[in-house]
Amino acid sequence: MPVPTIADPPPSAGPKPQGQPSQKTMTKAERRELQEKQRAAKAALKQQPPQGQSKQQQGGNAGASGQQKAKVPPTPQKKSFGAEVSASKQHASASKDGGASGAAAEELTGKQLSHGLRIFSHFGQPKPVGHTIKGDIHPATIRLGLLFSEFKICGANARCIAMLTAFKQVIQDYTTPSHSTISRHLMTHLSPQITHLVSARPMSVTMGNAIRELKLEISGIDIDMIEQDAKKKLYDYINTYIQDRITTADKVIQELAGKKVKDGDVILTYARSSVVEKILLSAHSEGKKFSVMVVDSKPLLEGKELLKSLTNGPNPIPCTYALLPALPSLLPEVTTVFVGAHALYSNGAVYSRAGTAMVAMMAKANSVPVVVCCETYKFSDGVMVDGFSKNELVPLSIIQKNSTDRGLAPALHLETLNPLYDLTPPTYITAVVTEVGLIPPSSISSIPLALGKTSL
Amino acid sequence: MVSETRSAATSRSVEVLAQKLRRRQVVGSRAAALETLLVLRQVISKARFSNLEQLVAIIRDAGRRLVDAQPKEHSVGNTVRKILHHIREEFHAATRGTVVAKPASFSISKFVLQGQPRKHAVLPKSESKGTLRENDPDDPDSFARGLKPVLMEAIQDVLDELETVYDNISKNAKDHIHSDEIILTLGMSKTVEQFLKSAAHSHNYSVIIAETAPSYDGRIMAKSLSEAGISTFLVPDSSVFALMSRVNKVILGAHVILANGGMFAVSGSLMVATAAKAHSTPVVVCAGQFKLTPLWNLYHEYGAHDFGNPSDVLGFENGDLVDKVDVVNPYYDYVQPELIVAYITNDGDHPPSSIYRLLKETYDDEDNEL
């Protein structure tokens, strides 16, 4: 089974904790469980503030880490830290399911899948409970893992920024063991954090790229450097990375793509991309007269959020909202399609929110230009030819939380699949707007080299 | 006096159906066709006429009122056309009894000159002097008395055809779907549902069903199929493109089949068909013959100009968004004939390119405009 490497635990890992024969440990575990349940409930309460606010919290510098740490429950025994974490995760995911029925439904899904089509078996399923990670997990990472798994932080940019900000805290609180050096040891400290985040949700390409760069930076630290200086260096490095590759890149893209919006245009966009949102808002603030069509679809219906921000304020952008099946009726009036991306592969294919490929395909059929807005740090070296080979499923609980209707409960012979991504072939794409300019999708592979990357 | 109350009664039954159609109390092509047929039967049985023109005029009048009530439900007009066609055929069969049988030989030149062979069944009035006599001055009802039993039989035939339409379509299902295939469909179509269930008797296969927002009818379909023991996967509309590469066949339902071989179908069909085309996956449409419509969609492709309730897309729970945003919810897509491989009807399987011929056989040209 071609599973993502670290994401899936061996199948035997699940029932192990329950299989403990000793009566004494059982009761102990039960006591701990109760404790953790209360903690998880508390943590869940804390996570209620909306994404923007929580991001702000994270965006604060590491000086706030003390305050952050105070919020996270202190762990009683240093020795059993790892076990504690996994236990808390168990309960978090259980409570997220909205009680026993939800958990049962998800279990059924898992069981069904093994009976069902084997071609779907590699899709990342919601992680089974009882997944243990060795090593110390920083509270900031646990918090972030929860936010990821509940889709409170969603989107390639937001996830990458949140991860890097959490890592700043992790590095801040890290002390090098006496017998080792920071350049050698820090990565072994970070890797369980990464594993934890990946177990919450499969890693995004952006996160992978950022981690790779960070690793390179860590390994490049001089052994003789004082620890505090090295930390400072890494700290600055992360800040620069966020600044250069994401924040400033977005501003440049905003400017470049903004030139493609003209008076009287009808811009169509799909779901919600932070970059596209910024482009539209800035073009509107420049006084351009255009209207926007927001096309949206299950599973996440993110377009509504975009719609809210576009129509917010005293001077809203004229908007039309429709679901994906209505797209062919809208397209004859559209002048340009703007979409965001999760990742770009070197063959020019765009890996993005499920449905983007359909929008691009229909736009191409109607001779409407399709412009993909994407920072260069989202570029991936690999080649992808099919949205089927790598994908992620949205857990049922998330969908039910996002919409009022309950959908269809899985039953015998019946299964609901909610793939999160699809792959748009390069033939449907007119241009990719990056911070280094507008390029055709066929030239994607040359960009990393042009940016100074020495080897492929 | 008597005739007036009779015609009032029939006109009332026409009016009742027209109201139902207008209020969308009768929805679905087959239901509408059935209701129309029943009303027409009543109209014909009560009608008084002494020649063919009068009968045709009565039926057309009733038909026009029904069609005007719900112009988007094309199966109403189709049923009227079909009845008219049958009436003419029965009339010619009855009157021709005395006339010398037509020469059975057809040549290409004759075909070119005279068009469809059936066409020259239209005979000059003077020749009709058998048992049926039009405009008989002695007994004005004799024509109606003679023709009505045959007409009732003809209507019964159409009725039977409508009632067995699903069985006839799904008769060959097992030849279209094979073991271990993955079929993709969308929305809820009774025809497709029966077709897939019938195929499941002989083959083990999987179905992927797109939910088809905003009605989410796909869920009903998924429930029904999974209960029939078919391995079913329900997916959002957005993932159709990603999954299409693994799909062996796309099976769709139709709302209306047009004369050029294209069709109107539930919105989302065009996207699915285009995605299938991009992956070279065959698209097969299951539909009853009553959906064949002598209409063309050459100039307007805008979702057949029929729109649903916007609150299904963006409900009032979204607060003040509702005030600021235009919401579009078209019912139908126009799917071009190039995207469709075959139509499976109760009258056999046809490529889109031969639909026009089927239309010529089913309806008379003069009825295209009711």
Side-chain angles (χ1 to χ4, degrees), chain A residues 113 116-117 119-120 123 270 297-299 301 304 307-308 311-313 316-330 332-333 354-359 361-362 365 386-389 391 404-408 411-419 421-425 428, chain B residues 180 182 206 208 211-214 216 218-220 222-223 225-246 267-272 274-276 278-279 301-304 307 312-315 317-318 321 324-330 332-333:
Chain A
L113 204 65
L117 278 185
I119 55 163
F120 293 129
F123 278 14
Y270 177 72
S297 173
K298 288 233 155 186
L301 288 173
K304 281 184 188 170
L307 214 52
K308 270 177 203 153
T311 55
N312 205 7
I317 304 176
C319 285
T320 306
Y321 182 76
L323 294 175
L324 194 56
L327 179 69
S329 302
L330 299 177
E333 295 165 30
T356 309
M358 298 258 256
V359 173
M361 173 188 72
M362 294 310 295
D386 187 346
F388 204 84
S389 48
N391 216 319
T404 42
D405 72 306
R406 304 290 297 169
L408 209 57
L412 192 67
H413 301 304
L414 174 63
E415 195 182 321
T416 38
L417 287 176
N418 288 293
Y421 298 107
D422 67 9
L423 192 81
T424 312
Y428 297 147
Chain B
D180 287 337
I182 300 174
S206 308
I208 298 176
E211 278 183 325
T212 326
Y216 298 108
R219 291 177 184 159
I220 304 167
K223 205 158 184 303
L225 290 182
S226 63
E227 276 162 9
I230 303 170
S231 136
T232 310
F233 296 85
L234 185 68
V235 302
D237 308 316
S238 53
S239 50
V240 166
F241 192 92
L243 299 177
M244 191 56 86
S245 58
R246 300 297 187 277
S267 63
S269 301
L270 177 56
M271 257 188 334
V272 170
T274 316
H279 289 90
E301 306 213 339
Y302 201 110
F307 293 90
D312 295 340
V313 177
L314 197 71
E317 71 272 13
N318 293 288
L321 264 188
K324 297 174 180 165
V325 176
D326 289 337
V327 178
V328 186
N329 179 17
Y332 304 117
D333 269 348

Side-chain angles (χ1 to χ4, degrees), chain A residues 79-377:
Chain A
K79 256 197 286 178
S80 60
F81 195 86
E84 286 282 346
V85 163
S86 70
S88 87
K89 220 179 86 53
Q90 256 186 46
H91 293 296
S93 55
S95 66
K96 154 190 102 181
D97 287 341
S101 66
E106 225 140 272
E107 237 173 65
L108 186 63
T109 319
K111 236 186 280 170
Q112 280 276 305
L113 204 65
S114 56
H115 293 297
L117 278 185
R118 295 193 39 184
I119 55 163
F120 293 129
S121 60
H122 68 287
F123 278 14
Q125 268 289 287
K127 292 285 115 39
V129 286
H131 178 49
T132 53
I133 300 161
K134 290 197 181 72
D136 294 351
I137 311 291
H138 193 277
T141 316
I142 297 171
R143 184 171 180 282
L144 194 58
L146 271 171
L147 288 171
F148 278 4
S149 68
E150 299 202 6
F151 283 71
K152 291 257 165 66
I153 295 183
C154 185
N157 282 350
R159 275 169 75 194
C160 188
I161 293 173
M163 181 195 70
L164 288 174
T165 317
F167 281 0
K168 282 201 289 193
Q169 279 179 37
V170 174
I171 294 170
Q172 181 77 18
D173 297 344
Y174 164 84
T175 40
T176 319
S178 53
H179 57 275
S180 191
T181 60
I182 189 165
S183 65
R184 297 218 180 112
H185 188 262
L186 180 56
M187 215 47 232
T188 59
H189 181 71
L190 276 182
S191 58
Q193 325 287 331
I194 297 165
T195 316
H196 181 86
L197 290 182
V198 168
S199 76
R201 242 190 96 183
M203 182 147 67
S204 69
V205 172
T206 54
M207 284 159 66
N209 283 348
I211 289 168
R212 200 172 309 126
E213 300 270 324
L214 188 61
K215 266 185 188 169
L216 203 70
E217 187 65 20
I218 291 171
S219 66
I221 294 173
D222 193 351
I223 310 172
D224 298 329
M225 198 180 251
I226 304 163
E227 189 182 303
Q228 200 49 48
D229 287 355
K231 278 185 182 176
K232 178 86 177 70
K233 192 178 172 220
L234 288 175
Y235 199 82
D236 288 345
Y237 179 78
I238 292 175
N239 277 343
T240 324
Y241 189 89
I242 296 177
Q243 187 71 35
D244 283 4
R245 306 302 298 273
I246 308 175
T247 325
T248 314
D250 278 359
K251 287 214 181 81
V252 179
I253 292 173
Q254 220 168 293
E255 207 169 290
L256 288 173
K259 286 181 189 154
K260 298 290 159 200
V261 181
K262 297 181 184 64
D263 279 346
D265 270 6
V266 180
I267 310 290
L268 186 136
T269 184
Y270 177 72
R272 181 197 193 191
S273 153
S274 56
V275 191
V276 172
E277 185 179 330
K278 283 179 202 161
I279 291 168
L280 295 175
L281 285 173
S282 80
H284 184 66
S285 67
E286 281 168 26
K288 285 177 181 163
K289 298 268 173 291
F290 62 96
S291 62
V292 177
M293 288 179 168
V294 180
V295 178
D296 206 356
S297 173
K298 288 233 155 186
L300 295 180
L301 288 173
E302 293 161 297
K304 281 184 188 170
E305 293 302 317
L306 176 65
L307 214 52
K308 270 177 203 153
S309 75
L310 291 184
T311 55
N312 205 7
N315 185 19
I317 304 176
C319 285
T320 306
Y321 182 76
L323 294 175
L324 194 56
L327 179 69
S329 302
L330 299 177
L331 272 172
E333 295 165 30
V334 174
T335 48
T336 319
V337 174
F338 277 105
V339 286
H342 175 89
L344 241 80
Y345 288 87
S346 55
N347 58 336
V350 175
Y351 190 65
S352 190
R353 186 67 74 235
T356 309
M358 298 258 256
V359 173
M361 173 188 72
M362 294 310 295
K364 173 87 178 174
N366 282 270
S367 311
V368 178
V370 180
V371 178
V372 177
C373 306
C374 177
E375 303 85 350
T376 54
Y377 88 110

